[in-house]
Amino acid sequence: MTAPSHRVVVVGGGFGGLWATRALASAPVSMLLIDRENHHLFQPLLYQVATAGLSSPDIAAPLRHILRRQKNVEVRLASVTRVEPAARRVWLDDGNAVDYDTLLLASGATHTYFGHDEWAPFAPGLKTLDDALVLRRRLLLAFERAEAETDSARRDAWLSFAIVGGGPTGVELAGTLAEIARHTLKREFRHIDPASAKVRLLEAGPRILASFPESLSEKARAQLQRLGVDVVTGAPVDAIDADGYRLGGVFVPARTVVWAAGVAASPIAQSLGVTLDRSGRVPVLPDLTVQGHPEIFVAGDLATITQDGKLVPGIAPAAKQMGNHVAQTIRARLAGRDSTPFRYRDYGNLATIGRMAAVVDLHGFRLSGLLAWWFWLAAHVFFLIGFRNRIVVLLNWFMAYWSYQRAARIIVGHSKAQREPDAG
Ligand SMILES: Cc1cc2nc3c(=O)[nH]c(=O)nc-3n(C[C@H](O)[C@H](O)[C@H](O)COP(=O)(O)OP(=O)(O)OC[C@H]3O[C@@H](n4cnc5c(N)ncnc54)[C@H](O)[C@@H]3O)c2cc1C
């Protein structure tokens, strides 16, 4: 049997790319899915790996395994460096090029330091599994360093943690870190009291969780404060170095700063030759194609599109819906049918704050506290890819719920970290 001649290349096996690929399973196309990682990652639980609650394989699955039964797709581990729209070709980091008839760009976004890339070594962000492992090591090592420190000012700096950015990721990290300090590490150290650690959440805007209704932002703030987090709003950080950060002109010693702010789209969009938005995202037409290039689709965090006067948010459900829509459009075109414009369906907004604390906004139906936390937990387990992952995550959470223990507290790469000047 000869392979179908229409060649679809998908860049990125995240929510947008993978959902499109799977939705084209029985379509008469031959597909190539290219990703620079070998796995699909469930980013909403990445903070759990960074805070030692889960291990990497619990929230990621190899793309080859996910797609093993889908005969019309090949997977390639490579990084796409640029697109050459005129030649209908993408270039890879190994110097090879791949031709396409239809291209889907779904390479996502990462964080940005708002023009202060020099802060990056001192305030790592959280986007990939590698980032999560670096963060986990830094957070756990900070307590170890504090235990060994004899100078009280230096010890306090090791026990001072700051998270920059009061969006869902910042809130999750701050709440969980406070829980680790107050409960998980209790009675394990002899020279420090981990519960004395200061966890600060720094948000430049007037309130945390700005995408939620104001009443839920307030509830989240109160829940964080109950967990022992100091929430500071309306104060942008103006400097970060190895010793701490400066806020409103005042330097605060803190050896562990985490970056959870800013969005910058994947840089390959620059090679498309279209005007990008301020975050580097590609403005797409209603069918999710690029102006002047009906054969190039963009989905997920890399795309920007307005619906009913509001931007479609950069969240997993939007990326999945875009991926599915791209697949439907490709099928319609191949069958000679008209395609319909993309319509985002907003099912609501969830964020967890820590053990038994979360906020949920389902179009006016609002929950906070324990009930919201159960809802958040069920939704995240349900959406994880793979039966094994669901079971492992559930078991881990069950154990953590009763014992406050976190399963993945083993520090690895420690000696290498000691050689790195930025490793803290
Ligand atoms: C820490 C964190 C927590 C989040 N929490 C939530 C949440 O609770 N709920 C929610 O709905 N959303 C959440 N999000 C947002 C959500 O994860 C994203 O909106 C979603 O992943 C976007 O899907 P995507 O397919 O556009 O990009 P991604 O899922 O980021 O996938 C992009 C893929 O492209 C690959 N890639 C990138 N560049 C290249 C290249 N040059 N060549 C080849 N491959 C490349 C990457 O390896 C990746 O696999 C969170 C994001 C983060 C970072």
Side-chain angles (χ1 to χ4, degrees):
M1 207 174 74
T2 54
S5 59
H6 191 92
R7 175 83 158 156
V8 178
V9 170
V10 177
V11 180
F15 290 107
L18 183 59
W19 259 248
T21 304
R22 296 207 298 192
L24 284 169
S26 56
V29 293
S30 77
M31 269 187 287
L32 177 67
L33 171 64
I34 308 172
D35 201 299
R36 63 182 175 197
E37 309 286 353
N38 82 330
H39 52 262
H40 169 77
L41 175 64
F42 191 76
Q43 286 172 6
L45 289 182
L46 204 48
Y47 84 97
Q48 283 276 346
V49 175
T51 54
L54 295 171
S55 307
S56 309
D58 302 342
I59 64 156
L63 285 163
R64 287 187 189 287
H65 182 73
I66 298 171
L67 295 168
R68 67 194 179 284
R69 294 203 182 90
Q70 189 172 330
K71 296 282 183 260
N72 65 350
V73 63
E74 267 180 50
V75 175
R76 181 160 324 167
L77 176 66
S79 187
V80 172
T81 50
R82 69 189 167 93
V83 183
E84 200 183 334
R88 298 193 176 188
R89 185 169 292 154
V90 293
W91 288 90
L92 310 181
D93 56 347
D94 57 11
N96 288 314
V98 174
D99 293 344
Y100 59 81
D101 297 307
T102 297
L103 174 67
L104 167 57
L105 281 183
S107 47
T110 185
H111 38 262
T112 169
Y113 290 86
F114 305 119
H116 287 284
D117 287 351
E118 72 277 11
W119 296 350
F122 313 115
L126 185 60
K127 177 68 189 171
T128 63
L129 276 176
D130 282 337
D131 295 340
L133 297 178
V134 167
L135 264 184
R136 185 179 78 185
R137 188 170 63 214
R138 285 194 180 201
L139 298 177
L140 295 175
L141 275 177
F143 289 97
E144 298 296 333
R145 296 280 156 80
E147 171 83 345
E149 183 59 68
T150 48
D151 177 87
S152 67
R154 285 205 291 263
R155 187 189 312 127
D156 289 348
W158 280 116
L159 288 175
S160 176
F161 299 84
I163 289 111
V164 185
T169 301
V171 166
E172 287 163 356
L173 281 168
T176 314
L177 191 52
E179 184 189 313
I180 291 176
R182 274 152 194 73
H183 299 287
T184 311
L185 302 180
K186 208 172 170 177
R187 287 193 288 272
E188 294 196 2
F189 290 84
R190 299 292 171 258
H191 302 283
I192 58 162
D193 175 10
S196 68
K198 290 192 176 55
V199 181
R200 264 186 145 188
L201 179 63
L202 309 172
E203 167 55 47
R207 63 186 174 100
I208 58 167
L209 295 184
S211 61
F212 282 76
E214 215 165 324
S215 61
L216 288 181
S217 287
E218 268 315 304
K219 290 216 159 100
R221 185 190 191 110
Q223 293 179 59
L224 277 171
Q225 282 165 344
R226 266 202 299 281
L227 286 167
V229 177
D230 178 21
V231 181
V232 183
T233 49
V237 168
D238 47 51
I240 304 176
D241 65 22
D243 298 318
Y245 59 92
R246 207 174 55 214
L247 194 68
V250 178
F251 184 78
V252 182
R255 295 301 301 260
T256 315
V257 180
V258 181
W259 191 259
V263 178
S266 161
I268 44 176
Q270 287 158 12
S271 57
L272 287 175
V274 294
T275 309
L276 307 176
D277 80 351
R278 269 184 11 186
S279 303
R281 289 173 299 197
V282 185
V284 287
L285 300 176
D287 63 355
L288 303 179
T289 60
V290 177
Q291 180 85 51
H293 288 284
E295 75 287 1
I296 303 181
F297 292 88
V298 183
D301 285 2
L302 186 60
T304 174
I305 186 166
T306 307
Q307 184 175 298
D308 305 331
K310 285 199 302 201
L311 276 185
V312 172
I315 56 173
K320 289 180 190 176
Q321 290 176 33
M322 286 187 193
N324 279 328
H325 188 84
V326 169
Q328 275 171 25
T329 306
I330 294 174
R331 280 175 183 277
R333 283 184 184 175
L334 291 172
R337 294 194 311 268
D338 288 340
S339 57
T340 51
F342 171 69
R343 195 86 212 134
Y344 168 60
R345 292 187 64 179
D346 179 1
Y347 294 104
N349 219 351
L350 328 176
T352 181
I353 294 154
R355 182 187 157 86
M356 295 191 281
V359 286
V360 171
D361 174 31
L362 304 175
H363 303 294
F365 177 67
R366 293 170 192 170
L367 287 175
S368 64
L370 181 63
L371 219 56
W373 186 70
W374 281 113
F375 189 90
W376 175 91
L377 200 136
H380 282 73
V381 170
F382 180 78
F383 287 118
L384 263 176
I385 278 199
F387 180 70
R388 179 200 164 272
N389 288 2
R390 288 191 197 120
I391 297 291
V392 172
V393 168
L394 259 183
L395 273 176
N396 262 306
W397 282 350
F398 185 71
M399 299 285 284
Y401 181 79
W402 293 112
S403 66
Y404 280 105
Q405 272 317 311
R406 305 190 69 79
R409 269 181 54 201
I410 307 302
I411 303 175
V412 287
H414 169 210
S415 32
K416 181 168 175 280
Q418 272 182 327
R419 291 196 299 271
E420 292 168 2
D422 63 299

